[in-house]
Amino acid sequence: MIDWQPIETAPRDGSRILVAMSSDFMKYQPWDAPSDEYCIFVRWVEQIGYWVDDFKTFVADNDITHWAPAPVPPPATAHQRMRDAAAISRHRKDDV
């Protein structure tokens, strides 16, 4: 279960957090997502004084109602590590 907290208590240290969007924000979006289920990941960018999502879009404080710590992703499997190493190797060959 997610431990939602008021946005006023969110860390502003650049760490990635999960936020719940307000119904006011949702009514202006082109997609048809229920407002009580719409959450995104953001991080605070001190230089500009805004939350920024993973797509580099600004999100204002009044568009967010609550926050929760971002979950820790599962560790990579051996197969994922091998695939990533192969991709890096191919990329390095392309740069030569």
Side-chain angles (χ1 to χ4, degrees), residues 23-92:
S23 57
D24 284 342
F25 175 81
M26 292 307 301
K27 69 182 174 185
Y28 296 109
Q29 301 311 310
W31 55 86
D32 188 23
S35 62
D36 61 343
E37 294 180 8
Y38 190 70
C39 300
I40 60 173
F41 290 100
V42 298
R43 56 180 92 237
W44 180 256
V45 179
E46 186 64 38
Q47 296 89 336
I48 58 174
Y50 273 95
W51 298 102
V52 176
D53 69 13
D54 289 346
F55 301 103
K56 309 295 187 244
T57 303
F58 301 127
V59 181
D61 274 335
N62 58 350
D63 289 334
I64 303 171
T65 60
H66 293 79
W67 77 280
V72 177
T77 64
H79 174 72
Q80 289 170 318
R81 289 191 301 273
M82 286 176 21
R83 185 189 63 213
D84 292 348
I88 291 168
S89 176
R90 280 193 308 275
H91 178 70
R92 287 186 179 152

